[in-house]
Amino acid sequence: KIVSRSADVWSNPALYMAAVQFLHQNFGRPMTVLMPYSNRMETFAEWFAQLWGESVGKDGLGSTPIRALGAIDQHSQVQLYTAGPDDKLYTIINIRWREDVKLPTVSDGPLEPLSYLSGQDLGEMLSCEAMSTAAALVKAGRPVVWMELERLDAAALGGLIVMLEFVTAVTGRLMGINPFDQPGVEQGKRYTYGLMGREAYSGDAKEADEFFRRVSGASVSV
């Protein structure tokens, strides 16, 4: 159950997760990793990064969202996560029901050491990998939020979206900021309008040119 009307932090998963996000920011973990174990959720992780970044990154506060995808990034990033700096909060999303896809039979040759996988379910293997990543992170002393979806369909994904939007809003309020505006994004838009010659934005064009010179003047040509 990922959506609840309860005001009790311990029984409302959205309030609980917002509190966890807020506390770990204050504990010196300025990054939050979202790692779903499904290729179908790759763009969902992109969506969360956009939501989180523009909502809670204000007034010198906030945590940087990191997009990860299991099991691909289990092999490309988890070394850093378990043995690198303890500066991240990890949220792993597991899908309990997946399509029934059996691994092929392996009986001889160079792949014989993998024969124990013959006939096993691919979805079950992904769930085991998600559990293994969570266990490795916990063994390393890293904070982990474990989430499960009964299945990946429109209703489940919609509920997850609502929950994370609520988590984001509550986290922003706990931080004492307005999570519903994006002044940094709007500033970039005004600069673009001015540089492209849009009427009434000439002052923004001059300002953009002034600040960009600080970048271009210190750049190195390759």
Side-chain angles (χ1 to χ4, degrees), residues 47-61:
W47 167 81
F48 173 76
Q50 178 267 330
L51 171 72
W52 192 260
E54 75 174 13
S55 299
V56 303
K58 291 158 192 169
D59 300 335
L61 302 172

Side-chain angles (χ1 to χ4, degrees), residues 145-204:
V145 175
W146 176 265
M147 300 178 67
E148 286 194 342
L149 296 181
E150 291 291 336
R151 58 179 61 244
L152 187 55
D153 57 15
L157 192 59
L160 185 60
I161 287 172
V162 171
M163 175 188 171
L164 290 179
E165 288 178 338
F166 191 71
V167 168
T168 303
V170 173
T171 302
R173 292 306 191 193
L174 290 172
M175 294 166 58
I177 63 168
N178 178 9
F180 300 108
D181 63 3
Q182 48 179 14
V185 176
E186 295 302 321
Q187 181 68 76
K189 289 180 180 179
R190 290 194 297 269
Y191 285 162
T192 302
Y193 294 153
L195 293 171
M196 293 299 293
R198 184 173 178 179
E199 188 177 354
Y201 289 89
S202 59
D204 292 284

Side-chain angles (χ1 to χ4, degrees), residues 34-80:
L34 184 74
M35 191 173 187
Y37 267 75
S38 171
N39 288 347
R40 295 167 62 194
M41 295 188 73
E42 182 174 10
T43 54
F44 178 84
E46 297 281 348
W47 167 81
F48 173 76
Q50 178 267 330
L51 171 72
W52 192 260
E54 75 174 13
S55 299
V56 303
K58 291 158 192 169
D59 300 335
L61 302 172
S63 59
T64 301
I66 298 175
R67 305 176 290 274
L69 184 66
I72 294 171
D73 291 319
Q74 177 177 332
H75 305 284
S76 65
Q77 297 180 23
V78 171
Q79 175 61 43
L80 170 67

Side-chain angles (χ1 to χ4, degrees), residues 5 14 23 26 35 43 71-72 79-80 85 107 126 130 132 137 160 166 204 209 216-217:
R5 294 179 181 271
L23 289 172
N26 291 340
M35 191 173 187
T43 54
I72 294 171
Q79 175 61 43
L80 170 67
S107 58
L126 284 172
S132 298
L137 288 167
L160 185 60
F166 191 71
D204 292 284
D209 183 64
S216 59

